[in-house]
Structures are given as C-alpha cells and as structure tokens.
Amino acid sequence: MLVKMEHVKKHYKDFALDCSLQVEEGRVTGLIGPNGAGKSTAFKAILDLIDIDAGAIAVLGKANGRLTQDDREQIGVVLSDSGFSGYLSVRDIIPIMNNLYRRFDRTAFVNMCKEFNIPLDKKIKEFSTGMKAKLQVISAMCHDARLLILDEPTAGLDVIARDELLDLLRGYMEPGDRAILISSHISSDLEGLCDDLYMIDGGKIILHEETDVLLDEYGVLKLTEEQYDKLDKEHILARKKEGFGVSCLTAQKQFYKENYPGIVIEKGSIDKVITMMIRGEA
C-alpha cells in the first residue's frame, strides 16, 4: 500500500475534512468532486504540508511524519497552486533538480522534454499552459518516483495537450510497481486512466468504486412519477426530481433492464454519478 488515510480529520473555520482512502501499488486512483470538496486538503495532508487533527496517514508503508529524505524522493508531486519560476528556463531547472534528487535522471528528463516539444532555453513564463503542465509532470517523474500525487494536472489544457500528458502517465505506470493519485475535473481523463475512483463532497468520501464497474454497471433511470412509484427501490443510490419526473442512480443497471423493460436507462459516467450523488437525494 503506497498511501493509506484512515479517518483523517482537519478542521478549518468553514470546512472540515474527514477522509479515508488508499492507493495500491500498480494502480491509478482518482479523487473526484466539486470545487471546495476537499481534494487539495487531502493531498496536502498526505504530503505532510498541513497538520491533521485526528486520524492516521501512511505513505510508502510508513507514517508520513517518519519519512526519510530518501523516502520523500520517491514521491513526485504536482499541486494546482505550484510551479517553477517563470524567469527560469528548462536548462536552468536541470541543476536544481540534480541537487534536490539523488536519483534525478538528467538524460531521461531532457529526452522527454524534447519528445513533448518543450524548449530547453525558452523562459517558462513564455510557455503555453500545456507546456507548463507537461514540464511539471515530467519533473515529477524523472527522479525514480514510485508514487505520483497530481492535483488537477490537466486543468486548462486543450484536448491534444491532455492526451499527450495522459500518455506520459500511462508510460510511467508500465513498470508495474508504481502508483498515481490524481484529481481532475475532466471526467474523460479519469475514465481512461484510473483503476478506481473516490468521490469526495463536503470533506467526506461519499463513494468508492472500480472505474470499470462504474462505467459498466451504473446507470441513470429516467422515470415518470408513475413509473417511480411502482419501482423496486432497493438498488437506488440517489434520486433527483426532474421536469419529466424522477432520475435515479443505480449500481445495478442490469437488474432494472431485465425487470423494467419499458423504462429509459442511460449508461453511467463519472459526470452523471457526480451529479446524482451530490445534487440528488440519497
């Protein structure tokens, strides 16, 4: 287990985190939810950037307060509110990275920058949003990190830049002994990358599911009031009033297909599940 959070609590004046999750070796785990749900707070707690009020966090098999410098070098990080100084060039960054990380691979770093069309001598302030994002992810990967923690790495990127960045992450996972914890508002990125997903709202985890299960077995029923009244509601996770009647989220789409052939059932997606779990009624 590369990350384990057990009932981690952090209280602010107008927000409280109460979170449990785990990230296993060889897997990409997504953390999803609306703005202000607690994703960045959870990431900062894992990285020991904030003090927690209760609970326990283990990273790389150790309590995160006991990580050695060598342990910390095995973690690659991209936070949504961080980045390199715009007055540096990529060539300026190389000696900094070399001093920070004993296992920094200069050759791999330069080759990946060239592969993804990141100029070595241009000031970072002149980079596009996509170039900056790819540089941050490459920098997180090129010191033999076993764990990547990525907070909104694809934010603001066009579809081509996002696809290139996701290819980078898939390549990173190929050795099989690594893991990624990632958040993103772009559900299609996570659907094609993550093995499992945690949904957070109001500082609490409200759903944990395998991505394949969510996409294959979840569905949204579109019902008239009459159809809803006659429905077996045992497998309904959330419902939402609509102009036409009621929408219902289920994790047993096949049950309703077989037993209620006359109703409309939409395929599940991350966006639909988020909308129903957060805006609907349990």
Side-chain angles (χ1 to χ4, degrees):
M1 196 74 61
L2 296 190
V3 177
K4 188 171 185 179
M5 300 180 74
E6 295 183 284
H7 305 293
V8 172
K9 297 183 180 182
K10 176 65 179 179
H11 296 276
Y12 294 102
K13 182 179 179 181
D14 54 357
F15 176 78
L17 180 76
D18 185 354
C19 181
S20 297
L21 63 80
Q22 57 189 42
V23 182
E24 298 177 15
E25 188 176 80
R27 292 169 68 83
V28 181
T29 295
L31 184 60
I32 58 177
N35 285 334
K39 299 187 295 295
S40 294
T41 303
F43 281 19
K44 289 175 181 177
I46 292 168
L47 294 167
D48 206 20
L49 297 176
I50 57 174
D51 294 327
I52 61 174
D53 300 323
I57 302 173
V59 180
L60 304 176
K62 297 181 180 180
N64 68 350
R66 296 185 176 180
L67 295 180
T68 65
Q69 182 61 33
D70 186 64
D71 294 328
R72 294 186 182 279
E73 289 187 19
Q74 296 183 58
I75 305 169
V77 181
V78 174
L79 297 179
S80 57
D81 55 358
S82 66
F84 295 108
S85 167
Y87 293 95
L88 298 175
S89 68
V90 172
R91 207 175 292 282
D92 294 329
I93 290 170
I94 291 172
I96 297 172
M97 296 290 291
N98 197 55
N99 286 328
L100 284 173
Y101 300 104
R102 284 169 288 181
R103 289 189 292 270
F104 175 65
D105 189 335
R106 182 186 187 282
T107 301
F109 177 79
V110 171
N111 287 343
M112 291 177 76
C113 286
K114 290 178 179 177
E115 180 182 353
F116 290 94
N117 299 311
I118 298 172
L120 299 183
D121 296 305
K122 193 175 183 178
K123 297 295 184 187
I124 293 171
K125 66 180 181 179
E126 299 172 18
F127 282 15
S128 67
T129 302
M131 288 163 62
K132 290 176 183 175
K134 285 183 282 187
L135 175 60
Q136 283 189 277
V137 172
I138 289 169
S139 300
M141 289 167 51
C142 281
H143 50 86
D144 198 27
R146 288 183 62 207
L147 170 67
L148 294 187
I149 296 178
L150 310 175
D151 189 11
E152 298 286 349
T154 60
L157 305 189
D158 61 42
V159 64
I160 300 300
R162 292 205 325 268
D163 193 53
E164 289 179 338
L165 193 145
L166 294 173
D167 278 345
L168 263 174
L169 299 180
R170 293 186 187 101
Y172 167 82
M173 289 298 295
E174 285 178 2
D177 60 349
R178 298 169 171 177
I180 298 173
L181 176 61
I182 182 172
S183 72
S184 176
H185 281 99
I186 303 169
S187 62
S188 59
D189 292 349
L190 299 184
E191 288 176 356
L193 180 68
C194 293
D195 297 291
D196 65 317
L197 297 161
Y198 286 88
M199 184 182 300
I200 189 170
D201 185 44
K204 296 181 182 294
I205 300 296
I206 59 172
L207 180 72
H208 176 223
E209 190 60 271
E210 297 287 313
T211 308
D212 288 346
V213 171
L214 188 151
L215 297 177
D216 293 341
E217 299 181 18
Y218 280 59
V220 178
L221 317 181
K222 301 290 188 177
L223 308 165
T224 64
E225 292 283 359
E226 183 180 0
Q227 288 173 323
Y228 179 75
D229 289 339
K230 296 177 180 178
L231 193 75
D232 181 341
K233 301 174 183 63
E234 180 182 358
H235 304 296
I236 298 301
L237 300 175
R239 67 170 193 154
K240 183 169 169 280
K241 292 284 288 182
E242 308 279 10
F244 57 80
V246 183
S247 289
C248 294
L249 176 68
T250 180
Q252 300 287 337
K253 179 175 63 180
Q254 193 61 34
F255 170 83
Y256 291 102
K257 276 187 176 180
E258 292 172 358
N259 292 283
Y260 299 88
I263 65 175
V264 175
I265 304 177
E266 294 183 350
K267 189 177 184 295
S269 69
I270 293 176
D271 283 344
K272 288 175 184 175
V273 172
I274 289 175
T275 300
M276 292 297 300
M277 290 295 292
I278 292 174
R279 297 193 61 204
E281 303 171 16

